[in-house]
Amino acid sequence: MLRALLLMTSMLVNPVSHGFADTFADPTVIHGQDGYWYAYGTSDPLKSGEGTAHHIPIGRSTNLTDWTYVGDALTGTAAPYVAPGASYWAPDVRYLDGRYVMYYGVTDTTTSTDTNDFAIGVATSPTPAGPWTQQSEPVVAPRPGGSGGWLNTIDPAELTAADGSRYLYFGSYYGGISVVPLSADGLHPAGSATQVALDNKYEGAYVVRHDAYYYLFASSSNCCSGPATGYAVSVGRSASPLGPFTDANGVSMLASRTGGTPVLTQNGNKWVGTGHNGMVTDLSGQDYLVYHGIDRNNPYLDAAYGINRRPMLIDRLDWIDGWPTVRAGAGASDTPQAAPVTAGSQNFSTAPGWLPRGWKTVDGYATGGGTVRRQSGAGDVRVEADLRVPADSALGLTAGPVTVTIDRKAGRLIATSSSRRASAALPAGLDFGTWHNLAVSIRGSQLTAAVTEARQSGPIVAVSLRVTPGTTAGFTGRGDVDNFSVQRLYRPVTRAVPAPKLGKVTWSDDFSGPALKAGWTWVRQNDAVTVAGGTLNWPVEAGDLSGTANTAGVLTRTAPRGDYTVETKVTLDVGVDDVRNYQQAGLVAYAGDDDFARLDTVAIWNTRQIEFGREFPFAGQLAYGGVTVGTPAVTTWLRLVHTLDPRTGEHHFRSESSTDGRTWTLGGTWTFPAGTTPKIGLDAHGGATPAVTARFDYVRIHQP
């Protein structure tokens, strides 16, 4: 009943795929020419108990919040290079010059007898629901690994750049993320690949153009560890589709101490493993992140440690100071949110009764010539439509006294208002005789107009102009018009959710004496640890905490009651680039050897990362996973911010990191059940060769 009432009031309630799918991983969404929104997901059974995987299941919606199942995309004969029993992962669907193009990972090919010789397949369709025709050759063939096996050629995402050229991003941990130029039709490689994100850190690429930059979204850590899944989304940006992509601190996503600005990470509510995103824009111009998450209370589709239950989630994406973040940094929602604006688009499926002479409706779109105007109301406005412009013609939108046209004869996008005019060249390689979306937004006296392919990837061409707002909107010129919409322009969120106040220092150990302060307790005492020179000096041990061996030492103390923040400054020089698995040091929230969360700067293969790992018993086994958000340095500051959930009594530990002690990156949150009493402490373990010592400058506890 509650959900029914919420739907009546146009609210968004995650997971949005609940109506047709218990799991719908790696989702992507496109607005179809028929006016519906379509979603595509990885091949899995859709429902608990179903047992049989769907080959790229398709969902359809009128409002982005309520979805129904319409079929599977890849139901026909497999392409000749696809091995029997192969699965199809992580589709990306685009509308390119008059047809729908789907890219997807193929898990097994006939290239070899191996079962992981991955490739990127491609299929085309005249409609978003199919029928889909697989191309006979992959768009990216299997790639042999330099040290054996096959590189992870999965997770494709297409981009049409500002000059009309097309690119395909793909890749995962073994091999990293690369980009390859595509042919004009998007079906074939047209050059060599360029690596844009380091191996052993990122996968699930998705690239959009926003203002002057291309933004590479990518997911890190483990996608599929049930209730311990720590998937998270980070981003870097570049002036070029080929990179280099750097984060807000100027750190490259190719660096060994890997860069990436957080976009989405788990926040302590029921959702964990929030990642592998797409993006969609509603009719008001507001962007939304489309992604999957795991309900930590119901993490598996059927049996524990089987298929992960990863339904589709959608949340508002804000751009603050040039960087994207979900819900201003609040992260995934598990309560009702304002729904995307989707109502009111006119797809001309029936005669609307307001087309003047010279225009008529044919097959669900308006065709003809002349000028149509309707009242839009005062205030900021967004006018958009899909346009198909004949050769040597011009067709566009009006907003008050402003006209913005796609002028194929002149080869330009032209905006005019009174005596002002702005224009930009149309990319020569694109066919504007097929459908393209034109959106005109007026905020105050500033107009921006952008042409996109089905509103994906960001603008192909854009103009801006100072204008005088009006109260009418419409379309003008000669050609075909569909999905015409006039909406109040979205109101941008410009400030991030504030972090909790740190409070004052209520306890500290600055390691300035000859020994530890009273109150520290060892779990497996390490006599090699010393307090000297103003630091606690801990030679990194060969042991570990994860799993059942539990050989590493842990230095703990009782945590204070209520909310608090524990902070340390640790120096751990494990170099760069070489493999030092898994030397690490940092903070621990410790309820037991098999129930802990550790926030460490750590060497993971050739990368240096900050991992907030969590281990706990689940369904008779130990679950382990980690969130990796933030960039380490030789000296790194770490914080665990502890709060008690007033509703459930759960302990929430949010991670933070810094490379200067002043500017902090907020990471993911792990929870401990109510009734547990986790201690706080330090660790330094993961491998003793080559020898390295972790040096802790202090441990401080802050309380409000």
Side-chain angles (χ1 to χ4, degrees), residues 65-112:
T65 60
D66 305 294
W67 294 83
T68 58
Y69 171 67
V70 296
D72 294 348
L74 304 182
T75 57
T77 302
Y81 67 90
V82 177
S87 188
Y88 303 105
W89 290 353
D92 182 62
V93 178
R94 305 286 167 154
Y95 183 74
L96 305 180
D97 286 347
R99 65 179 171 182
Y100 294 89
V101 180
M102 175 188 291
Y103 306 93
Y104 45 88
V106 178
T107 62
D108 190 13
T109 73
T110 57
T111 299
S112 74

Side-chain angles (χ1 to χ4, degrees), residues 134-162:
Q134 295 188 60
Q135 302 298 295
S136 60
E137 297 290 336
V139 66
V140 182
R143 302 174 297 152
S147 57
W150 301 86
L151 299 181
N152 292 159
T153 308
I154 59 174
D155 295 354
E158 191 269 349
L159 167 78
T160 300

Side-chain angles (χ1 to χ4, degrees), residues 507-509 516-522 554-560 564 566 588 590 677-682 699 701:
W507 181 89
S508 69
D509 191 344
L516 294 167
K517 275 190 175 182
W520 288 107
T521 302
W522 276 102
V554 187
L555 184 61
T556 69
R557 64 173 297 107
T558 301
Y564 62 87
V566 57
V588 176
Y590 180 86
T677 54
K679 296 181 178 182
I680 53 177
L682 302 174
V699 174
I701 297 175

Side-chain angles (χ1 to χ4, degrees), residues 45-66:
L46 287 177
K47 289 287 189 176
S48 178
E50 188 175 12
T52 302
H54 294 260
H55 284 174
I56 310 293
I58 306 173
R60 185 170 64 190
S61 176
T62 60
N63 57 11
L64 289 173
T65 60
D66 305 294

Side-chain angles (χ1 to χ4, degrees), residues 237-399:
R237 71 184 188 186
S238 173
S240 166
L242 300 176
F245 291 90
T246 57
D247 66 15
N249 295 318
V251 182
S252 172
M253 296 178 79
L254 284 167
S256 178
R257 296 189 184 108
T258 316
T261 295
V263 176
L264 173 66
T265 187
Q266 54 207 51
N267 55 19
N269 64 16
K270 71 178 183 180
W271 298 116
V272 296
T274 50
H276 200 118
N277 70 281
M279 202 177 85
V280 67
T281 304
D282 76 1
L283 298 182
S284 76
Q286 174 68 59
D287 289 332
Y288 284 82
L289 203 76
V290 181
Y291 59 101
H292 69 241
I294 294 176
D295 183 342
R296 57 188 169 96
N297 302 307
N298 189 17
Y300 293 105
L301 189 61
D302 294 304
Y305 301 98
I307 296 174
N308 283 241
R309 183 187 292 250
R310 296 179 288 168
M312 178 172 64
L313 285 67
I314 294 178
D315 273 304
R316 191 187 76 237
L317 184 70
D318 301 311
W319 296 83
I320 299 177
D321 297 328
W323 293 94
T325 181
V326 171
R327 295 200 307 135
S333 67
D334 65 352
T335 58
Q337 306 291 306
V341 176
T342 56
S345 176
Q346 174 59 262
N347 66 7
F348 304 102
S349 58
T350 60
W354 52 270
L355 290 176
R357 183 176 299 175
W359 291 90
K360 60 181 179 179
T361 58
V362 176
D363 295 329
Y365 60 87
T367 185
T371 300
V372 174
R373 292 188 183 274
R374 302 192 75 184
Q375 289 297 120
S376 65
D380 298 341
V381 67
R382 176 181 169 94
V383 185
E384 73 164 77
D386 295 329
L387 305 179
R388 194 161 57 182
V389 189
D392 296 326
S393 297
L395 178 63
L397 300 176
T398 64

